[in-house]
Amino acid sequence: MTSSSALSPALLLPRSCRHGASSMKELQTLAPISPARLSSLLQTMKRPRRTPPSTPPTPQTIHRLHHHRRRRGEKAVSVGQSLAAETPEWVPLDLAESELSLPLTFPTGQTFRWKRTGPLRFTGAVGPHLVSLKHLEDGDVAYCVHGDRPDGAGARSALLDFLNADIRLGEIWEAFSASDPRFAELARLLRGARVLRQDPLECLVQFLCSSNNNIARITKMVDFISSLGRHLGTVEGLEFYEFPSLDRLLAVSEKDFREAGFGYRAKYIVGTVKALQSKPGGGVEWLTSLRGLDLQDAIAALCTLPGVGSKVAACVALFSLDQHHAIPVDTHVWQIATRYLLPELAGARLTPKLSSQVAEAFVSKYGKYAGWAQTMLFIAELPSQKAIIPSHCLTIQKDKKVER
C-alpha cells in the first residue's frame, strides 16, 4: 500500500462531496436505523401478513400503462401480464448481517441510485440487472433478480463484485478492534457497514452531481441521468434504469442538462463525457484501468477531466477504484480526528496542510483499509447512531497501529 508519508493534499476531500449534505442534520433523514429498530423490523417480518384482495385495473390505468410502453418502444402486453404482482425468488447471498448491513451501507451517500423498497429492503441496478436485496429473519442477506428473463448467474456475480464481497469485513474489523477499543465497540453496534465497488463511470457522474449540492437535488439529478438509460422495470412504484452509456450521455447537450436543473455542473458533465470519449481505447476502459494505479496517480488522472477536482476524484477512487485508503476530510471528519486521533489540533482552523495530517493519521492508524474505518466512524457520528453509542466510546487509543 502507499505509505502515509506519500499522501498529498490532492488525495483529500471534504466529506460533503461524499454525501452532498451541507450538514449532519440533513443526513439525519437518510441515517441508518438503530440496532433496536432493526431487531423490531425483523420481528415484524416474522408475523404472518394478510394478503389484501387484488383490485381490478381501471381503464385509465390500462391506458397509462400501454402509453408508457409505447413511448419506450415496448410491445403492448395483456392486462394480466402487465399488472400481475411479481413474486420474487429470493436467493441467499451467503453474506451475514455482520458482513453486510443494508441500512448501514446504502443510505450513507456512496450511491444515489439505490432506493428503499420495503422494510430492510433496497433495490437498484447493477449493470443490466435489476436487483433487490433484503435481510432475512435471521439477519442474513438474500437477493432477487427482477425481469422477464433474468440472468441469475450473471446478476449474482455482478452483485458480489459491486458489494466488494471478496473483502471480509470480519477480518478487517478484527484488526481495527485490536488496535482501537473504541472501534471494537462500534463494530459490535454498527456491524456490516460496507464500502461499495461501483462502476467507475456511474460513480464519477454521480459525484460530479454532488459538488456543492444537497441530497435531494443530487438524487433528482442522478434520477434524470439514470432515466437516459434502458428501462429495467418498476419495483414498488419506483422506476429503475441501467446507467446510460457514454454514447448516450454524449447525445445530451449542456442546454438539456441546464434545463433539467444541473446549473453550472452541466458544462462539467458534458465536458467530462467528451473527454472520456476521446481517450485511447474508450473512456470506460480508461477509467477501469485506474484501478491498477497508485492512489496519487489515480487522483491525478481523474483531475485531468473537466470539473473533477481532488474532492470528486477521491470519492471516485474510494467508491469505485479499489483505493481503500483514500481519506475524505471535511469539517465533520476534522472534528472526529481532533477528538479521537489528533486532540492537540483541537481549535485549529482546517487547512490543506492539516487535512493532509488528518489523512496521514487515519492511514497510520488503520492501514490500507483506512477509508473503510473512516466510513464506520462517520456513521457513528450520525445523530440516529450517536444517540445509542455508549459514553465510554468517546475516547480513542493512539498508542497502537493496525498491523499491515
Side-chain angles (χ1 to χ4, degrees), residues 77-371:
V77 295
S78 69
V79 176
Q81 276 184 286
S82 60
L83 297 179
E86 181 186 25
T87 304
E89 179 183 352
W90 293 97
V91 182
L93 197 55
D94 300 325
L95 285 175
E97 186 185 355
S98 59
E99 287 291 329
L100 174 60
S101 169
L102 303 179
L104 291 175
T105 299
F106 286 105
T108 55
Q110 297 186 52
T111 176
F112 300 92
R113 281 177 33 86
W114 280 69
K115 314 292 184 183
R116 191 188 299 271
T117 52
L120 304 180
R121 172 178 169 178
F122 291 81
T123 302
V126 181
H129 312 287
L130 179 56
V131 179
S132 285
L133 293 166
K134 74 172 182 178
H135 283 291
L136 301 174
E137 294 179 1
D138 60 1
D140 288 357
V141 178
Y143 74 99
C144 73
V145 186
H146 303 276
D148 294 334
R149 293 185 299 274
D151 176 8
R156 183 185 180 90
S157 176
L159 181 60
L160 290 173
D161 182 75
F162 172 74
L163 293 172
N164 258 325
D166 287 341
I167 297 176
R168 310 309 294 183
L169 272 184
E171 298 175 4
I172 299 175
W173 275 195
E174 183 179 357
F176 291 166
S177 298
S179 69
D180 184 349
R182 176 177 181 266
F183 194 98
E185 185 72 6
L186 293 177
R188 183 180 66 83
L189 295 170
L190 305 175
R191 59 183 185 171
R194 177 170 285 275
V195 172
L196 300 172
R197 188 178 194 253
Q198 300 178 59
D199 172 80
L201 174 62
E202 183 175 330
C203 188
L204 170 61
V205 174
Q206 287 186 82
F207 281 100
L208 279 172
C209 296
S210 75
S211 178
N212 297 317
N213 213 343
N214 60 66
I215 292 172
R217 195 170 178 217
I218 296 169
T219 302
K220 184 178 180 180
M221 291 178 180
V222 172
D223 285 347
F224 172 82
I225 292 175
S226 298
S227 70
L228 302 173
R230 182 171 65 94
H231 184 250
L232 297 178
T234 304
V235 179
E236 296 298 326
L238 298 173
E239 305 288 342
F240 293 91
Y241 304 85
E242 183 177 3
F243 197 78
S245 66
L246 267 180
D247 288 338
R248 179 66 185 94
L249 291 172
L250 195 63
V252 185
S253 68
E254 180 180 336
K255 179 182 178 182
D256 293 332
F257 281 120
R258 286 188 177 274
E259 289 179 349
F262 283 68
Y264 71 88
R265 301 167 195 82
K267 66 178 180 180
Y268 293 139
I269 293 175
V270 170
T272 289
V273 168
K274 290 181 178 178
L276 288 173
Q277 194 75 352
S278 67
K279 295 291 184 183
V284 172
E285 291 79 3
W286 181 81
L287 283 172
T288 303
S289 72
L290 301 185
R291 287 175 169 167
L293 301 182
D294 290 337
L295 177 57
Q296 264 185 311
D297 293 337
I299 293 288
L302 288 168
C303 287
T304 65
L305 300 172
V308 178
S310 60
K311 297 185 291 187
V312 169
C315 281
V316 176
L318 178 60
F319 299 131
S320 72
L321 297 181
D322 302 333
Q323 304 291 347
H324 305 299
H325 59 295
I327 305 297
V329 178
D330 72 349
T331 56
H332 304 305
V333 175
W334 167 250
Q335 291 169 5
I336 294 172
T338 55
R339 283 202 303 270
Y340 308 127
L341 288 175
L342 301 167
E344 65 273 18
L345 297 181
R349 180 175 175 270
L350 181 61
T351 64
K353 183 178 180 180
L354 290 182
S355 293
S356 179
Q357 191 171 344
V358 168
E360 290 177 3
F362 270 99
V363 174
S364 177
K365 181 74 175 179
Y366 296 109
K368 65 180 181 179
Y369 288 105

Side-chain angles (χ1 to χ4, degrees), residues 37-49 119:
R37 175 60 176 156
L38 180 64
S39 175
S40 175
L41 283 172
L42 288 174
Q43 290 300 321
T44 301
M45 293 170 66
K46 296 179 181 179
R47 301 170 190 160
R49 299 180 179 179

